[in-house]
Each structure stands twice: as C-alpha cells, then as structure tokens.
Amino acid sequence: MAVKKTAKEGSNLIETFKDFKETKNIDPTTMVSVLEESFRNVLAKIYGSDENIDVIVNPDKGDFEIYRNRVVVPDGEVKDENREISLTEAQKIEPDYEVGEDVTEAVDFNKFGRRAILNLRQTLASKILELEHDSLYQKYKDRVGEVISGEVYQMWKREVLVVDDENNELILPRSEQIPRDQYRKGETIRAVIHQVTNDNNNPKIILSRTSNVFLQRLLEAEVPEIADGLITIRGIARMPGERAKIAVESYDDRIDPVGACVGVKGSRVHGIVRELCNENIDVIRYTQDTELYIKRALSPARVNEIQYDTTQMKAHVFLAPEEVSLAIGKNGLNIKLASLLTGFTIDVFRDNRDSPEDEEDVNLEEFADEIDGWIIDAIKALGYNTAKAVLRAPRERLVNEADLEEEQADEVLSILAREFATTDDTPNNAPSAADLEALKAKFQG
C-alpha cells in the first residue's frame, strides 16, 4: 500500500528520485539502498530510533512506503511511544487488537513538514556524493600510468579541468603541462594518469603531459615491437616541449631498435612529436658498455675520449673544440639530457691535441713489462684504459683512488710519456726529465 502524500510534496520527492536516477551513474540496487538509508536517518532523528521502521522504495516510479511497528500495551502503560501503543489507540486502527500484539502502521512522511523533506534531500545528496566519490576513486585507483583522452571543460591559471566520457572531473596542473600547450574549451586532449589521491574521501585524478611515462606510453602505442616486447625502453630523459632522449634495446639481433622506433622517414615518431608540441626526440641504442653509452647519449657530438668513475658516477668527456658546442647543446640541453639518461655527471673538456692525425694511442696492457699488473688493473678500474687517458688524468686521482704512492704515480706517468716523447730527429735518444715533465704538462693541460 503506497502512502498517500500531498500532491505538491509527493511530486517534489518523486522528482528528487527521478533526478538522481537520471543524472547519477548508480545501479538500481545501490540506489534503493541509499534511498532507504536516507529515509532511516531522517526518521531516526524524528522518532529517536529506526529499528522498528520498515522502508520500501520503488525508485523507478518514485513511490515509497514507510511502516512503523509497535507493541500493544495496556492503557496508561506506554513508556516508549515509538515502540509501544496503547490498547485504545491500537483498536482505533483495528478493533480486534489485543495487548501484546504487534501493530504495523503506515507513516505519512509529509506530515513531518517541509523541514523533514529538506533534511531528506540533503541527506540523500550527501550520500549520493559519497557514492560518486567512491566510484570515481575505484575507477581510477589502478589506472596510474595509463593514457586517457578527455575534453577540456574549464581553464584556470594554475590548472585545467578535464572531463572524461562519464563527465568525471580530472585535473591537469600547470606543472604537468608542456610549456607550449594551448587549450580551448571543448577540445580533446591526451594525458597520462599521473596520480590518484583520496584524502578525506575527496578523490583527485591528476593528469600529466610532462611525465616520462606519457612519452613511453605514446611510443608503445606507435611502435608495435615495443608493445610486443621485442624492444625495451631502457631510459627516458625529457625537457618537455623541447627535447627528449630515449635509450632502447632489442633482444632480437634482426631488429634495429632505433630504426623501428623512428620508422621510415620518421613516420612513427612524427605523430609523437606533434602531440608533444614539436618536442625533438633522439633515439639511441642502449648498451651496458658505459663508455659507449655516454658517447651515444651525447650524440650528435663526436667524443674522442671518456674517463669515468662508476663509484661517484662522474665522467670527463674530451672532444675536439668544434664538437664541444654540439655536446653541450642549446642552453646546455644536450649534456643535461645525456646526464639524466646515463645517470652520470658529465663534464666536457676540449681536446687540445695538435691535429686529428695525432699519434695513435696505446692500450695499457702494452706496458705490462714495465708496469706491475695490479697497478694497471687499479688504473683501468678508474676508467682509464689507454696511455693518453692516464696522462690526461689528474695525478691526484691516480694517487688517491688507484691507491698508488706518489713515486709510483710519477713513474707510471713517466713510462707512458716516454712512449710519445721520441722525435724523428732523435728516435733512439731517451728523453730528459725536463722533456717528460713538459710532455706530461701538455697532456694534463
């Protein structure tokens, strides 16, 4: 039996139900549960308890029924009007009621007035909002790192409001926007889900277009070999909107990882470049050879020599004078990205050798008959594999880090310098101490 309501208030309640049913993405079972709980909360405030209240809701039509259950007690012995009803009052409902029987009575919610109805609306709205927040959080909590498309809804100074296909609100902060990004209301943009928080049941979905993960996901979408696991992205370094360096590796010798990522005439990478506001993308081949990896990371500059220290993650790079500007790049961008990609702090030095046709270098193993093997191993552990590399190395480093005595370090430098000290005029003459010191100073300079 549906409870009779005044036309105006009943209509308001029905419209409330219909509004939530049509505009909120909530399944019918949950909707019924929320409506019942909202009624119970209001009735509990009115009666003091809802334990003896039955609420039946039909959200499809907006109908609802409320029943209160009470026990018949003798006249004058009613102690709790919510749970008990006097025999006289019970017999007004049904003449044959007797003491001890249960009375179920329909409750007209509208008799409680406009304030109760307003309270119901507010309670319902609050619970629906909680459900929406929980639904939004559950939808996105496990999707961090996924690329999503959304529509620009509103633009503010510090962030852009984006809505997804279900009109959920997503935030793209200024700090996660590419500097040259420009947005117009209603346009579709792509970004990666960067962070999902739910502080105080207030979920926030933070998007990013500057994250390395965004570039990685775009590559995975454009390069089937990456999606299939044939090519692995081993490192990404970005200055969003300006330039990026990507290290890739293939486990199949038949696949060129760089060529596969770039595509024919750059076909695969062009779409990504446009998406990232013409961000230049350099793709290099990853290698576990530290020296070669640093050289590739500094491309397009051509490196003559590298001295590196894996314990301090520092590298000294020597280049021809005309290559230094290429290695550093505009505003220091190239060397900064190379450092980020390799993890090494890279310092660039001009190679002051007289000409590209300078004497051939000599591997340290060639001096095994003059230098003890443990010394050669200790020096090579510092990243110096050739005679000229050692001659250019700081003497203090040979002493302190290769665990050499000062006399041992000087003797090693003299032996190596002697290899390059003879001249055409005196090929068989041993160089003087002054000549050796001058030669070492030349290399050290």
Side-chain angles (χ1 to χ4, degrees):
M1 175 177 69
V3 177
K4 294 182 179 179
K5 305 175 283 292
T6 63
K8 182 177 180 181
E9 299 298 351
S11 174
N12 286 341
L13 287 173
I14 292 173
E15 289 303 316
T16 298
F17 299 154
K18 287 185 176 179
D19 175 62
F20 282 116
K21 179 177 180 293
E22 292 172 1
T23 62
K24 310 300 180 183
N25 185 26
I26 300 175
D27 63 271
T29 302
T30 304
M31 172 65 76
V32 169
S33 176
V34 169
L35 289 170
E36 288 181 356
E37 188 177 353
S38 299
F39 271 113
R40 286 186 174 279
N41 285 343
V42 176
L43 291 168
K45 293 179 181 178
I46 295 172
Y47 290 121
S49 172
D50 68 327
E51 293 181 0
N52 59 323
I53 302 292
D54 293 328
V55 179
I56 303 173
V57 176
N58 182 359
D60 294 330
K61 297 181 179 179
D63 290 340
F64 61 95
E65 301 173 28
I66 303 173
Y67 298 97
R68 183 166 60 153
N69 304 305
R70 292 186 287 179
V71 177
V72 179
V73 299
D75 292 343
E77 296 185 15
V78 175
K79 296 179 181 180
D80 183 351
E81 293 186 355
N82 182 41
R83 296 175 179 274
E84 300 172 340
I85 184 172
S86 67
L87 180 60
T88 300
E89 291 299 320
Q91 290 177 344
K92 289 180 181 180
I93 300 173
E94 291 289 344
D96 55 352
Y97 274 128
E98 296 181 2
V99 174
E101 291 186 332
D102 293 331
V103 175
T104 299
E105 180 184 11
V107 177
D108 183 358
F109 188 80
N110 291 283
K111 76 176 183 180
F112 300 118
R114 181 174 297 175
R115 178 167 295 184
I117 294 176
L118 179 60
N119 192 358
L120 173 66
R121 286 176 176 271
Q122 292 173 341
T123 302
L124 183 59
S126 175
K127 291 188 176 297
I128 293 293
L129 185 60
E130 288 180 11
L131 278 175
E132 286 185 316
H133 284 176
D134 184 65
S135 176
L136 178 61
Y137 178 68
Q138 294 299 326
K139 177 180 179 180
Y140 282 101
K141 70 174 184 176
D142 297 324
R143 297 176 62 186
V144 173
E146 180 181 323
V147 172
I148 187 174
S149 296
E151 180 182 315
V152 175
Y153 184 77
Q154 188 67 52
M155 294 161 289
W156 295 299
K157 184 176 181 180
R158 294 187 177 182
E159 60 188 31
V160 172
L161 180 63
V162 180
V163 294
D164 64 10
D165 53 2
E166 295 180 355
N167 285 324
N168 293 311
E169 296 182 355
L170 318 174
I171 301 297
L172 178 60
R174 185 71 180 172
S175 60
E176 301 298 330
Q177 299 173 25
I178 296 174
R180 286 184 284 182
D181 273 339
Q182 293 183 346
Y183 305 105
R184 292 186 298 273
K185 185 174 181 179
E187 75 174 346
T188 300
I189 64 169
R190 285 198 293 175
V192 71
I193 300 172
H194 182 59
Q195 186 179 16
V196 178
T197 63
N198 192 31
D199 298 334
N200 299 319
N201 196 32
N202 183 26
K204 285 188 177 180
I205 317 302
I206 308 299
L207 305 180
S208 175
R209 285 173 53 80
T210 62
S211 167
N212 289 350
V213 178
F214 185 44
L215 176 52
Q216 180 175 338
R217 295 292 179 263
L218 293 178
L219 276 166
E220 290 171 353
E222 292 290 337
V223 183
E225 291 86 348
I226 295 179
D228 294 340
L230 299 175
I231 294 176
T232 301
I233 298 174
R234 297 300 300 264
I236 295 178
R238 284 185 72 192
M239 295 298 290
E242 296 292 335
R243 192 171 180 180
K245 285 182 180 287
I246 304 166
V248 294
E249 182 180 22
S250 172
Y251 299 109
D252 189 335
D253 294 337
R254 297 170 298 178
I255 297 176
D256 173 17
V258 175
C261 291
V262 174
V264 179
K265 296 183 179 179
S267 58
R268 288 180 170 178
V269 83
H270 278 168
I272 299 174
V273 169
R274 288 193 297 270
E275 176 70 43
L276 302 179
C277 299
N278 294 321
E279 182 175 315
N280 292 322
I281 298 177
D282 298 336
V283 183
I284 69 169
R285 189 165 191 159
Y286 175 80
T287 175
Q288 292 184 345
D289 183 330
T290 302
E291 182 174 341
L292 182 56
Y293 190 34
I294 295 174
K295 284 183 177 180
R296 289 174 177 174
L298 285 169
S299 62
R302 290 178 298 177
V303 177
N304 289 346
E305 186 181 319
I306 294 178
Q307 301 169 4
Y308 62 90
D309 180 1
T310 55
T311 59
Q312 298 186 20
M313 298 301 287
K314 291 183 178 180
H316 293 175
V317 178
F318 297 88
L319 309 97
E322 64 272 13
E323 297 289 327
V324 171
S325 59
L326 278 176
I328 296 174
K330 184 179 180 182
N331 298 323
L333 202 56
N334 195 59
I335 193 170
K336 186 182 297 183
L337 290 175
S339 295
L340 289 173
L341 188 66
T342 61
F344 279 79
T345 300
I346 300 175
D347 294 320
V348 171
F349 298 91
R350 286 179 173 82
D351 192 342
N352 293 319
R353 288 180 289 193
D354 295 334
S355 69
E357 293 77 27
D358 196 16
E359 302 97 333
E360 289 293 329
D361 206 346
V362 182
N363 196 291
L364 281 183
E365 276 81 0
E366 299 294 327
F367 298 91
D369 56 340
E370 298 179 81
I371 302 174
D372 289 343
W374 73 267
I375 295 179
I376 292 176
D377 292 339
I379 294 174
K380 289 179 66 177
L382 299 180
Y384 307 129
N385 298 315
T386 65
K388 289 183 180 179
V390 178
L391 287 169
R392 292 191 181 94
R395 176 178 177 276
E396 294 77 12
R397 190 175 182 209
L398 296 178
V399 173
N400 297 330
E401 297 182 36
D403 198 24
L404 301 181
E405 299 292 339
E406 291 189 2
E407 294 79 5
Q408 289 175 320
D410 289 336
E411 182 181 357
V412 168
L413 291 173
S414 295
I415 292 171
L416 300 181
R418 194 178 298 117
E419 177 70 20
F420 307 103
T422 57
T423 64
D424 292 337
D425 296 332
T426 57
N428 297 318
N429 292 338
S432 66
D435 292 335
L436 291 176
E437 289 302 319
L439 187 58
K440 286 191 288 184
K442 173 185 174 182
F443 278 103
Q444 297 271 320

